[in-house]
Amino acid sequence: MIGKTIATELFGGQSPIGERIRIKNVPFEVIGVLEEKGQSGMGRDQDDTILVPISTARTRLAGREGSVAEPVQMMFISVRDGASMARVQEEVEAVLMERRNIRPGDQADFDVRNMSEFIQARTATQNTMGMLLATSAAISLVVGGIGIMNIMLVSVTERTREIGLRMAVGARGRDILVQFLVEAITLCLVGGLVGLAVGALCSGLVAHYAEWPVVMDPVYVILALFGSATVGLFFGFYPARRASKLNPIDALRYE
């Protein structure tokens, strides 16, 4: 039995069933192709594999029968849906203790691992990393937002006479408010687009040189732009409100 990657590399788009391949100069006939699994959690290609009978592996690939001290180094056990993995683990340990003549309380010479525990540990690690990344992103947004607010405050100060002139010819306070809010949102959206472009470029370079699959989900792109607009709206409100509350007479006399 060969994996999907082996079938593609050796036979392309043709059916490998009935064909012969050589492993250590030993001919084997392909009787089936394993279901495609993709990459494992550790990044290993699970389709780059070949399964042969264990007796054949012992006698033809590993050497003469009995010449290998520990022919079986690892076993995988599949549990039916709805079955308790903890109970199955206990039963497997009990059978191995009995078969290896290990008395209760003695140190076992084998290790039984429950994949659910590994998945839980990996999930906890991913959640911790996610929290760290989210905290870093939040700090970056706050720092960037403060920078946007300072820029808008400087803009309001430098354009005080312009604001007073607009108010003198009929502009209302909310018109000034909307104007500066739109400017702050536009500034943040431009920054968000630049960040997306840089991120897409870096991801493309990593995908090209490291040969890692990279996918940019349009939903997250929209969320990123929405977040940028929200930062502009939140941190641009104070400068915009300050501009809208200026006295037209004082603003026109401002030097």
Side-chain angles (χ1 to χ4, degrees):
M1 302 285 289
I2 62 176
K4 188 68 175 180
T5 300
I6 300 295
T8 303
E9 292 181 354
L10 295 183
F11 304 100
Q14 300 179 355
S15 174
I17 307 300
E19 299 291 339
R20 290 183 176 272
I21 61 176
R22 285 184 174 272
I23 306 174
K24 291 186 176 182
N25 293 324
V26 179
F28 288 87
E29 180 181 348
V30 179
I31 62 173
V33 179
L34 298 172
E35 183 179 357
E36 188 173 1
K37 296 182 179 180
Q39 289 188 342
S40 66
M42 304 300 292
R44 185 180 66 86
D45 185 3
Q46 299 183 94
D47 300 315
D48 187 10
T49 185
I50 299 177
L51 301 183
V52 300
I54 187 172
S55 57
T56 303
R58 286 176 176 174
T59 58
R60 303 296 301 276
L61 299 180
R64 297 191 307 273
E65 186 173 2
S67 63
V68 182
E70 191 176 354
V72 179
Q73 298 180 351
M74 182 180 300
M75 297 174 58
F76 293 92
I77 300 176
S78 177
V79 179
R80 291 194 303 267
D81 293 338
S84 173
M85 295 189 67
R87 181 177 178 181
V88 173
Q89 181 177 356
E90 293 177 357
E91 294 178 355
V92 170
E93 291 175 348
V95 171
L96 289 177
M97 294 281 285
E98 179 182 354
R99 296 289 178 86
R100 291 172 172 262
N101 297 320
I102 301 176
R103 298 178 180 179
D106 293 345
Q107 181 67 32
D109 58 354
F110 60 87
D111 184 20
V112 179
R113 298 180 180 179
N114 189 335
M115 291 304 296
S116 64
E117 298 177 355
F118 171 76
I119 294 174
Q120 292 175 359
R122 187 180 64 177
T123 302
T125 303
Q126 291 177 344
N127 292 337
T128 302
M129 292 298 297
M131 290 296 297
L132 291 175
L133 291 175
T135 302
S136 301
I139 294 174
S140 300
L141 288 176
V142 171
V143 173
I146 293 174
I148 294 295
M149 184 172 61
N150 290 334
I151 292 174
M152 295 306 299
L153 286 173
V154 172
S155 178
V156 170
T157 302
E158 292 180 348
R159 298 162 61 184
T160 300
R161 288 177 63 85
E162 173 192 336
I163 296 170
L165 182 61
R166 291 196 61 196
M167 288 183 170
V169 297
R172 295 166 295 180
R174 64 181 181 182
D175 297 326
I176 304 298
L177 178 68
V178 171
Q179 174 190 351
F180 280 92
L181 282 179
V182 170
E183 290 182 6
I185 292 174
T186 302
L187 184 62
C188 287
L189 283 177
V190 171
L193 289 173
V194 172
L196 286 173
V198 173
L201 177 62
C202 294
S203 300
L205 292 175
V206 170
H208 177 72
Y209 290 104
E211 298 183 353
W212 290 352
V214 176
V215 178
M216 291 189 64
D217 194 335
V219 175
Y220 293 106
V221 172
I222 296 174
L223 288 176
L225 294 177
F226 177 77
S228 298
T230 303
V231 170
L233 179 64
F234 181 81
F235 287 95
F237 181 79
Y238 173 71
R241 181 174 176 80
R242 181 175 177 179
S244 67
K245 295 299 182 180
L246 289 176
N247 189 314
I249 298 176
D250 296 335
L252 285 172
R253 292 188 303 181
Y254 182 80
E255 296 294 339

